Amino acid sequence: MGCRAPGSRSALLRVVVVQDQLVVDVARSMPGRGAWLHPDPGCLELATRRRAFGRALRHAGPLDTAPISAELESDLQGHNDAG
């Protein structure tokens, strides 16, 4: 969504809106409209800068991207600790 590059759904994060806050749908089964994002901080930054979340999720008003950023950061820490 942010970088607009295609990718398989298994490699992407599904993001949904819960009370004006973006949440990663880990099980990919939460109700509502979802948006797909590469698990890359650069892709999140592009999506935020372009205001792509509001359009993709059809949500008016500001959305808090902090939970997505925290999820990406924890994923990166997990990969760095494993390697």
Side-chain angles (χ1 to χ4, degrees):
M1 183 174 75
C3 64
R4 300 179 186 168
S8 67
R9 287 195 174 189
S10 62
L12 301 174
L13 297 176
R14 183 172 187 262
V15 179
V16 295
V17 175
V18 177
Q19 298 175 353
D20 292 337
Q21 193 169 43
L22 295 172
V23 177
V24 175
D25 182 5
V26 178
R28 299 170 185 199
S29 62
M30 291 177 79
R33 188 169 184 84
W36 297 90
L37 180 75
H38 287 99
D40 175 16
C43 191
L44 174 63
E45 180 187 346
L46 284 172
T48 303
R49 194 175 339 140
R50 292 179 178 148
R51 298 182 187 137
F53 287 111
R55 284 192 308 275
L57 298 170
R58 296 183 184 167
H59 182 81
L63 291 168
D64 184 9
T65 60
I68 306 303
S69 183
E71 178 76 20
L72 291 177
E73 202 171 289
S74 70
D75 283 353
L76 286 175
Q77 288 295 326
H79 283 100
N80 288 341
D81 292 344

